[in-house]
Amino acid sequence: MTALPQNPTPKKRARAREKTMTDANRKNLYEPAREIYAEYGVDTDAALRALKPLSLSLHCWQGDDVGGFERPDAALSGGGLQVTGRHPGKARTVDELRADLTKAFSLIPGSHRVNLHAMYGEFGGKPVDRDKIGPEHFRGWVEWARESGLKLDFNATCFSHPLADSGFTLSHPDRTVRKFWIDHVKGCRRISAGLGRELKSPCLHNLWIPDGSKEVPVDRGAARLLLKESLDEIFAVEYSPVQMRDSLESKLFGIGSESFVVGSHEFYLGYALSRGKLLCLDLGHFHPTESLADKISAILLFAPGLVFHLSRGVRWDSDHVVVLNDEVQAVTEEIVRAKALDRVQLALDYFDASINRVGAWVIGARAALQGVLYALLLPETKLREAEAAGDGFRRLALREEARLLPFGAVWDRFCLEADVPTGGRWLDEIARYERAVLAARGPAIS
Ligand code: RNT
Ligand code: ZN
């Protein structure tokens, strides 16, 4: 029997009324905001137009604590990565993960990408080792992405595997172990090219490996030479940039690789620039006092583009949820200033199991977009004039004044145009999803 259309409940009617009122109030704030910004020589309409085409790459691994689908109870192990927290409701199946991603995207303005890891394939309940995976394991993702209007990015998974337990993969002294990981990464690049071809958007294949050691090694050079050779072997296969592009991600240290990381910043900077590959800078992978923002204008003079893993380092952890902090602002400011929005990819990379996981996605994605919008709304012309005139006082004071401009009204406008909730109303959406969907999920299916 077909269900008859239901009259909205009083509660639903009140909610709809509240939505219209809030939206109207917020819409009214835009015009005055626009005028205030104009006094500073800032065109808010132009800023909104510039932000609109920006696509973030949302990391699938926030949805299930970096577990993946290789086994029913798969969990993150090794690689110097750690997820903490026991918030209930994590995605246990590919359908649950896709439902959660869909919910997150409904609360993030704009059209975006999903960043997959190799261990998130659909393996049909059969064990498929990493060196044997192929495009057939990602058909479901392609179909879902196509239906959802999303594009896909990809990552080889060189951790959570017995052959990574030694702490070395592509730089392992044993050729058999190296070969296993070389084959895995080769397969992942092939899968990436397929995803890019099918979805008509170049798929970014990012490579991060955990290789390194707890103690100071005697021969750092040997491991780096092996990594260089493994990479050359992997990249001997070329793909069209229309289908896929490669990026390489460095790290300063990890848990268990405190004294030595083979794939350091200098290693990958040299490798990427000499081989025409992209460099991936993760905000949590540098010394806390080192400015990642400062690297942008230098690297972009020599590289075709840059990839960012937006994250937040807190003490030992490099993967807290992204918020709109000084670092994110400094990075987005430098990207905008370099007019490089179309040459960078902003990908999110963090894992928090202590709070609602869908909400964690949305916090980070909205913060990243807000960072870019904030940068687009800086009184750039006036700041440059002050700098050119050698007026340091004015330059500093203008930056402080800029903090008080009605940024929120322009952000709300962006959300309204994209038809996603303004202000804090998305918090209630998350709470509803938690009650209706996440709370019904039991422990991991085994
Ligand atoms: C690890 C890197 C890497 C991972 C993901 C899961 O330190 O940041 O990007 O977070 O591949
Ligand atoms: Zn990263």
Side-chain angles (χ1 to χ4, degrees):
M1 209 176 84
T2 341
L4 293 171
Q6 304 257 308
N7 283 331
T9 60
K11 217 167 157 188
K12 272 200 179 136
R13 272 204 301 273
R15 212 183 290 147
R17 202 166 43 240
E18 180 204 322
K19 172 175 166 8
T20 333
M21 271 170 54
T22 318
D23 285 353
N25 287 338
R26 287 180 182 265
K27 214 178 234 160
N28 291 340
L29 289 176
Y30 181 67
E31 279 309 316
R34 189 175 176 225
E35 282 169 29
I36 294 171
Y37 270 105
E39 278 175 35
Y40 285 81
V42 178
D43 181 346
T44 53
D45 291 343
L48 290 171
R49 274 197 303 277
L51 183 62
K52 206 168 172 190
L54 185 74
S55 268
L56 302 173
S57 195
L58 204 69
H59 55 318
C60 77
W61 51 93
Q62 160 58 30
D64 76 333
D65 312 340
V66 207
F69 304 127
E70 290 173 314
R71 288 178 312 280
D73 55 348
L76 173 65
S77 76
L81 309 175
Q82 185 142 30
V83 182
T84 48
R86 296 175 63 83
H87 195 82
K90 83 164 188 179
R92 302 158 301 168
T93 63
V94 73
D95 289 336
E96 288 182 352
L97 187 62
R98 285 180 194 145
D100 292 356
L101 279 163
T102 305
K103 184 70 206 174
F105 281 123
S106 74
L107 303 172
I108 303 168
S111 78
H112 302 287
R113 312 174 66 87
V114 175
N115 205 1
L116 295 176
H117 238 286
M119 62 182 172
Y120 286 81
E122 290 172 85
F123 305 110
K126 288 188 280 300
V128 183
D129 212 347
R130 301 263 174 91
D131 58 342
K132 301 282 179 316
I133 62 167
E136 63 277 19
H137 302 118
F138 293 87
R139 251 177 228 133
W141 280 108
V142 171
E143 275 160 35
W144 173 76
R146 203 174 271 139
E147 281 159 22
S148 318
L150 295 161
K151 309 294 180 193
L152 297 174
D153 294 312
F154 205 75
N155 300 259
T157 312
C158 302
F159 51 86
S160 294
H161 189 283
L163 285 182
D165 281 350
S166 68
F168 290 87
T169 62
L170 290 176
S171 71
H172 198 286
D174 182 341
R175 168 74 190 165
T176 359
V177 178
R178 273 198 321 276
K179 179 77 170 51
F180 174 85
W181 291 111
I182 290 170
D183 288 345
H184 170 60
V185 183
K186 278 183 163 174
C188 289
R189 294 183 70 235
R190 192 162 73 89
I191 294 168
S192 303
L195 299 178
R197 199 168 46 239
E198 300 248 19
L199 296 167
K200 297 189 176 38
S201 171
C203 168
L204 183 78
H205 179 263
N206 179 59
L207 181 64
W208 172 77
I209 59 165
D211 297 32
S213 59
K214 184 185 174 88
E215 280 303 342
V216 179
V218 175
D219 196 347
R220 293 170 188 259
R224 291 195 166 126
L225 181 61
L226 288 174
L227 177 56
K228 175 173 159 267
E229 286 172 3
S230 294
L231 293 174
D232 283 346
E233 198 173 329
I234 288 166
F235 295 130
V237 185
E238 282 184 34
Y239 292 98
S240 154
V242 173
Q243 295 174 4
M244 67 91 65
R245 293 174 308 155
D246 293 288
S247 65
L248 297 154
E249 181 182 1
S250 64
K251 195 166 182 170
L252 182 64
F253 76 92
I255 305 169
S257 60
E258 290 85 357
S259 301
F260 176 51
V261 168
V262 185
S264 59
H265 177 58
E266 290 69 18
F267 177 91
Y268 283 128
L269 181 65
Y271 192 89
L273 291 180
S274 62
R275 307 295 198 275
K277 301 292 175 198
L278 294 168
L279 194 66
C280 171
L281 303 175
D282 185 311
L283 260 72
H285 289 190
F286 292 85
H287 188 277
T289 64
E290 195 173 353
S291 163
L292 207 138
D294 178 57
K295 301 181 191 302
I296 298 170
S297 57
I299 298 175
L300 281 181
L301 282 179
F302 307 102
L306 266 175
V307 176
F308 291 90
H309 267 190
L310 299 179
S311 185
R312 177 165 47 109
V314 177
R315 303 195 189 279
W316 61 267
D317 177 49
S318 63
D319 299 291
H320 272 52
V321 179
V322 168
V323 295
L324 185 53
N325 59 10
D326 287 353
E327 268 174 273
V328 170
Q329 270 180 28
V331 164
T332 51
E333 221 178 289
E334 280 299 305
I335 295 171
V336 167
R337 203 155 276 158
K339 300 200 176 3
L341 272 181
D342 55 354
R343 284 203 286 152
V344 301
Q345 192 196 66
L346 298 179
L348 300 181
D349 180 19
Y350 50 79
F351 10 102
D352 190 335
S354 74
I355 58 174
N356 181 303
R357 293 171 183 79
V358 183
W361 262 322
V362 184
I363 293 174
R366 286 174 79 112
L369 292 168
Q370 285 164 2
V372 176
L373 182 61
Y374 189 87
L376 288 164
L377 290 171
L378 281 174
E380 193 66 17
T381 317
K382 286 191 185 296
L383 284 167
R384 281 179 191 273
E385 278 167 11
E387 185 160 284
D391 191 343
F393 153 71
R394 182 169 284 271
R395 184 182 60 187
L396 189 58
L398 263 174
R399 292 198 57 107
E400 291 305 292
E401 281 302 304
R403 292 182 198 277
L404 304 178
L405 293 177
F407 171 71
V410 187
W411 169 254
D412 280 346
R413 172 75 168 206
F414 188 63
C415 291
L416 285 168
E417 281 178 1
D419 204 22
V420 303
T422 52
R425 273 194 300 114
W426 69 269
L427 277 64
D428 302 332
E429 286 290 319
I430 292 288
R432 263 194 285 280
Y433 191 73
E434 170 113 36
R435 283 194 302 272
V437 180
L438 303 182
R441 288 181 191 165
I445 297 165
S446 52

